[in-house]
Amino acid sequence: SAVISQKPSRDICQRGTSLTIQCQVDSQVTMMFWYRQQPGQSLTLIATANQGSEATYESGFVIDKFPISRPNLTFSTLTVSNMSPEDSSIYLCSCTGAGGKTGELFFGEGSRLTVL
Amino acid sequence: AQSVTQPDIHITVSEGASLELRCNYSYGATPYLFWYVQSPGQGLQLLLKYFSGDTLVQGIKGFEAEFKRSQSSFNLRKPSVHWSDAAEYFCAVGAAGTASKLTFGTGTRLQVTL
């Protein structure tokens, strides 16, 4: 298994500002992902955070808006840039287990962002 | 492209009653299927998964799910619901080879009455 810690757990932000969310895993993991969960909706994959290289973004998400870093096998950050009220969501970090079991994703508790 | 449909947005059951949450998927080959639970203010926790083999899979907290290829379904069941089961339940599908990239359904919110 893997235990994920996310910071901040929640924040209220002003329109036009940027916020960086940190994700720390308690063990080295192969794959890390960032999901968005908009109010009352399901999870949407933003990107796969690749260690030592640029993240792989899903359709509809771009690096300029959601820059991602992954400097090592236990840590990643997601920045939400130039925020607007439409960015109000829960952002979830997830990872595969240390053994890399297919599809067994572990999730952090999420970072709830409210943009005014 | 793979997709997941959870037709029930909200379900209310009495404590002690049985539960079935529906999930239908669309995928061209044999899918990898998952059920996750999200309690209020919490992240998602894996309840159970199906990759291959026995189509009836057992999970944590007394949950089970049955894969029915002919119906493209993977319904979640529990014979007796506890008040602590109140949460949001998500069905997800992954493709073999990229199964860690999951597509989630819209979720079913379970309310349990005492």
Side-chain angles (χ1 to χ4, degrees), chain A residues 37 42 58 96 102-105 108, chain B residues 34 36 38 43 51 99 101 105:
Chain A
Q37 185 178 20
S42 187
E58 299 299 306
T96 54
T102 302
E104 191 157 1
L105 291 183
Chain B
F34 310 84
Y36 283 84
Q38 185 179 34
F51 289 166
K101 285 179 58 175

Side-chain angles (χ1 to χ4, degrees), chain A residues 31 33 35 37 41-43 45 48 58 92 96 102-105 107-109, chain B residues 32 34 36 38 41-44 46 49 51 90 99-102 104-106:
Chain A
M31 304 186 76
F33 306 91
Y35 284 84
Q37 185 178 20
Q41 297 190 29
S42 187
L43 286 77
L45 180 62
T48 302
E58 299 299 306
L92 292 148
T96 54
T102 302
E104 191 157 1
L105 291 183
F107 286 83
E109 294 185 355
Chain B
Y32 291 174
F34 310 84
Y36 283 84
Q38 185 179 34
Q42 303 292 314
L44 277 74
L46 179 66
K49 60 185 181 288
F51 289 166
F90 292 96
S100 293
K101 285 179 58 175
L102 301 184
F104 286 82
T106 51

Side-chain angles (χ1 to χ4, degrees), chain B residues 1-83:
Chain B
Q2 60 211 42
S3 66
V4 177
T5 301
Q6 292 181 249
D8 304 307
I9 296 172
H10 185 224
I11 285 182
T12 301
V13 300
S14 300
E15 187 173 44
S18 64
L19 172 71
E20 182 168 29
L21 302 182
R22 296 183 291 166
C23 172
N24 293 97
Y25 67 90
S26 174
Y27 182 61
T30 300
Y32 291 174
L33 295 160
F34 310 84
W35 276 99
Y36 283 84
V37 60
Q38 185 179 34
S39 298
Q42 303 292 314
L44 277 74
Q45 181 182 23
L46 179 66
L47 283 176
L48 47 78
K49 60 185 181 288
Y50 171 79
F51 289 166
S52 64
D54 193 345
T55 56
L56 183 64
V57 294
Q58 302 296 321
I60 62 172
K61 304 185 180 186
F63 285 93
E64 65 178 27
E66 185 171 13
F67 170 60
K68 292 185 178 181
R69 183 189 301 276
S70 62
Q71 299 178 19
S72 298
S73 69
F74 188 58
N75 294 348
L76 182 71
R77 300 195 294 250
K78 186 169 185 178
S80 179
V81 169
H82 187 264
W83 64 267

Side-chain angles (χ1 to χ4, degrees), chain A residues 28-103:
Chain A
Q28 293 186 342
V29 295
T30 307
M31 304 186 76
M32 294 181 72
F33 306 91
W34 287 97
Y35 284 84
R36 181 175 71 182
Q37 185 178 20
Q38 293 179 297
Q41 297 190 29
S42 187
L43 286 77
T44 302
L45 180 62
I46 296 172
T48 302
N50 300 311
Q51 193 262 327
S53 64
E54 191 172 288
T56 304
Y57 290 84
E58 299 299 306
S59 176
F61 297 96
V62 296
I63 188 170
D64 290 346
K65 177 66 176 177
F66 297 102
I68 288 171
S69 76
R70 188 177 175 192
N72 56 53
L73 293 176
T74 64
F75 186 77
S76 178
T77 66
L78 168 74
T79 299
V80 186
S81 303
N82 188 26
M83 286 185 285
S84 67
E86 292 71 36
D87 295 319
S88 297
S89 292
I90 299 173
Y91 293 86
L92 292 148
C93 175
S94 73
C95 68
T96 54
K101 280 190 177 181
T102 302

